[in-house]
Structures are given as structure tokens and as C-alpha cells.
Amino acid sequence: KPVNVAAGGVAPTGGALHPLMKVRSMFRETFIEMGFEEMETNKFVESSFWNFDALFQPQQHPARDAHDTFFVKTPASTRTLPADYLERVRATHENGGESLPDEYNSKSCGWRYDWSEEESRKNLLRTHTTAVSSRTLYKIAQLAKEGNFKPQKYFSIDRVFRNEALDATHLAEFHQVEGFVIDRNLSLGNLMGTIADFYRRLGPEFNDLKFKPTYNPYTEPSMEFFSYHPGLKKWVEVGNSGIFRPEMLRPMGFDEDVSVIAWGMSLERPTMIKYGVDNIRTLFGHKVDLNMVRSHPIVRWT
């Protein structure tokens, strides 16, 4: 059959932004309005050192097992780590840094085990964007040693990967929103106020947050925070937070009175609460309905 090359084609439907990308843009604008700077997040593959060890997370912690973390086979390990900082992290894990100069000594007892450099060099798909925060804080510490310390606020929004069982609120690949503030003598009140201010700007659905004490290896005190999901009819955890421990900050070279308040939250769960989505798999993944993407309303938080 002859082809009529002069015939008009089917009009394209046009592109559409995914709801998560719209919400991500709004989160980013909110952080910038609050005076935060964005961190570089271009490392999906990260070393165990920056993902775990620099955060004072012990090497025998369950989160570092293969059933929780995706390890990379090729290349299996990283070659480049700052040698002097690596040795300070080793000492802090083993004995709290008691053998280090006073400017790096965390004055704790550490985890009291034989730290393995081989384990710290293993590559993995980053399990949280706190790995980005640890790299950024290390750079800030180098500037602080030159007398250039100043209060700063940073954020990041990008993908992380965990070997999770999939259900209505969990995925193996999802987006994490990370923020931290560094200054002198920050308190738990500063942390709670900053988180509440951020969510208050997102709309009335997040005016009522619940904070609950929890445990993190690298923050003390630590808190989870929850928001109510009317569709699931329950309080859903939307983030984790805390004040970074001296065992994380002192090996970098920060003064004793320098504090870092930090929190991480998912991008998907606040979007689910905002728009009444009951199953995270309908929002992100291979089961997403393209008609939902095309017909999704403009993001409106107020």
C-alpha cells in the first residue's frame, strides 16, 4: 500500500511532569526560601566509609549487612579516601580517639572493636543522602581550620537505595530529602523548630507533627517525626532527625562547641499524605499510570 507522506500525523499529547518532580521542585523552593544551599548529590555509588564509617556507624551494625544494603561488585572498593581523616575515624571507632590530638579527640570510649579499612572501602548504592552531608561537612571542616567557620544551612534531594521488602509505604528505591544546619551551641529546640517551620510551609496537612525519641548511631538525641495520613487512617513516619554526635564531628576537626542539627525525610510519603495516595507503588515505579501523570493537578501547598 502506498504511503501518503503528505498526510497529517496524530497530534502529540505533550509532556507532563511527574507529581514527585513537581513536589520536589516545591521542596527545593521552600528550602531556598529558608536560606539553605543545595549540596551536590551526583554519587549514587558511594563507599562504605562516607555512607557509614564517617557517620560513626559501627561496622557490625545490621544496616551494613547485605540483606539491608545493595553492595557493588565492580568496582567492589574505592581507592581514594583522605588518609589522615581515615586514621582519625579508625581511632574514634576503636577507642573514641583517645590517642588523637585534643583537637580531634571526641572524649568518648568509641565502639571498642577492631576497625577494618577493607570494610570501609566497600562500594555500595548509597542508603541515605547523609553520605552527601558527611562529605559536605568534611569540606566545611577544612575551611574552618583556616579560620573561615560560619553558620551554614544545606539541603539535598535525590535517590537512595535499600534492600527493603516492598509494601504500601516502602520501596527499594526512593527519594530522600536531607537538611542540616551547622552553628555553635545548637539545641534540640532549634531542630524541632526548623522541621516544624519547613512542614508548616507545605500546607495545613502538616501543621500537626508528632516527635518521638529514637536511636541513631550518629545522632544523639534522635527523633522520628510523624504526620497523620487520612487515607491509611494512621500516623505515618515522614522523617528522622537528630544532633550529630561529637564522634562524627571531632575527627573532622570541628571545635567542641560546634553543633549540627540534621534530618532526613522521604519525598514520597509527604506527597502521599498531601494527595491522599494509599500505595506508594502507584506513585513511583513501573506500575505508575501515565494518565495519572498527565492529569495530575498543579502542586498547590497553601
Side-chain angles (χ1 to χ4, degrees):
K1 174 178 175 179
V3 177
N4 182 4
V5 295
V10 178
T13 56
L17 286 174
H18 190 282
L20 280 176
M21 295 301 98
K22 298 177 184 177
V23 175
R24 173 177 174 158
S25 177
M26 290 300 299
F27 272 38
R28 185 174 183 274
E29 290 177 14
T30 301
F31 271 117
I32 291 173
E33 286 174 2
M34 294 174 65
F36 284 74
E37 299 179 52
E38 190 165 9
M39 293 182 276
E40 294 183 6
T41 59
N42 55 351
K43 290 182 180 293
F44 283 2
V45 176
E46 185 57 272
S47 68
S48 294
F49 179 81
W50 293 109
N51 196 85
F52 293 126
D53 293 283
L55 302 177
F56 194 58
Q57 190 156 333
Q59 293 184 338
Q60 65 271 28
H61 193 279
R64 302 181 68 151
D65 293 339
H67 65 261
D68 280 331
T69 300
F70 294 111
F71 287 93
V72 177
K73 288 185 177 179
T74 307
S77 62
T78 185
R79 296 180 180 177
T80 56
L81 291 174
D84 54 344
Y85 178 46
L86 182 143
E87 290 305 317
R88 295 198 296 269
V89 168
R90 177 201 299 274
T92 304
H93 277 247
E94 292 184 346
N95 53 45
E98 62 184 18
S99 59
L100 296 175
D102 191 58
E103 61 182 311
Y104 301 117
N105 191 340
S106 67
K107 295 181 173 61
S108 80
C109 62
W111 295 117
R112 297 293 176 181
Y113 72 100
D114 292 329
W115 186 85
S116 167
E117 181 177 337
E118 180 183 359
E119 185 71 26
S120 74
R121 289 185 179 272
K122 288 182 179 178
N123 283 332
L124 47 79
L125 295 180
R126 67 180 177 207
T127 61
H128 49 191
T129 50
T130 314
V132 179
S133 297
S134 66
R135 284 180 175 273
T136 303
L137 284 167
Y138 179 71
K139 292 177 183 177
I140 294 174
Q142 306 316 299
L143 294 174
K145 290 178 183 177
E146 301 171 3
N148 297 324
F149 178 81
K150 62 179 180 179
Q152 296 179 68
K153 299 188 281 188
Y154 282 92
F155 80 95
S156 64
I157 307 173
D158 213 337
R159 294 190 188 188
V160 296
F161 310 86
R162 295 180 189 172
N163 196 357
E164 299 250 17
L166 307 185
D167 59 30
T169 57
H170 293 85
L171 289 173
E173 176 183 355
F174 58 97
H175 294 81
Q176 185 174 345
V177 183
E178 176 102 4
F180 73 79
V181 180
I182 180 170
D183 200 352
R184 299 188 186 275
N185 302 313
L186 294 174
S187 68
L188 195 64
N190 296 121
L191 175 61
M192 296 174 70
T194 303
I195 294 171
D197 182 27
F198 176 83
Y199 274 96
R200 196 177 299 116
R201 294 167 185 256
L202 301 184
E205 293 86 354
F206 303 101
N207 282 346
D208 188 17
L209 292 178
K210 282 187 176 181
F211 293 88
K212 185 185 82 172
T214 190
Y215 168 77
N216 293 321
Y218 45 90
T219 58
E220 181 61 37
S222 309
M223 300 179 301
E224 295 172 335
F225 47 99
F226 299 76
S227 184
Y228 188 75
H229 192 303
L232 297 175
K233 294 182 172 57
K234 66 178 183 179
W235 288 85
V236 176
E237 181 192 348
V238 291
N240 204 328
S241 65
I243 300 177
F244 282 144
R245 293 175 61 152
E247 293 94 334
M248 176 184 169
L249 300 180
R250 292 292 283 161
M252 293 181 179
F254 286 113
D255 294 337
E256 284 188 282
D257 62 345
V258 171
S259 307
V260 179
I261 57 174
W263 64 98
M265 61 195 99
S266 74
L267 183 64
E268 286 79 4
R269 289 186 185 178
T271 304
M272 291 171 66
I273 293 170
K274 185 69 181 182
Y275 291 106
V277 177
D278 293 339
N279 194 322
I280 194 172
R281 288 168 287 191
T282 65
L283 188 64
F284 184 62
H286 66 282
K287 294 185 178 180
V288 170
D289 182 1
L290 292 180
N291 288 324
M292 179 272 291
V293 175
R294 296 187 184 105
S295 61
H296 194 269
I298 297 174
V299 176
R300 190 177 300 277
W301 291 104
T302 56

